[in-house]
Amino acid sequence: ILSTYFTSHHIPTNQSRLPPEVNRILYVRNLPFSITPEELYTIFGKYGAVYQIRLGDPGKDTRGTAFVVYEDIYDAKAAVDHLSGFNVGGRYLVVLYYQPAKFQRRQELQEKQDEIQELRKQIQQRKKRKAGDK
């Protein structure tokens, strides 16, 4: 069965070894805020079949970002190689491979910073109440 798979699914030898961070999901930053999903499909579709595009939320700090998912890992690599630094609407794209561990750590760090900020507010409120009691 495996020999049938490898003979029917030939992988070009110059592309057979990819760095470990390469995957089908790309994280795109520095997008113009007015870009549409259709425009992204046009830009990223030139490098292969796009499975899905998710734009960041315009009302939050994820605006100007998107996730682009390719059907094939080699198409994703071609997009990163060609579109990093590509000028779209006067902005230079930052195209990276999605690395869940980094995103998770960044999210946890943000949550801890938010928690520290909230605790500082509570301490300030307590100090004001104590000062008002005297």
Side-chain angles (χ1 to χ4, degrees), residues 67-83:
F67 286 99
V68 178
V69 182
Y70 278 93
E71 291 187 12
D72 184 81
I73 195 168
Y74 294 106
D75 296 340
K77 183 179 183 322
V80 169
D81 292 346
H82 292 94
L83 292 175

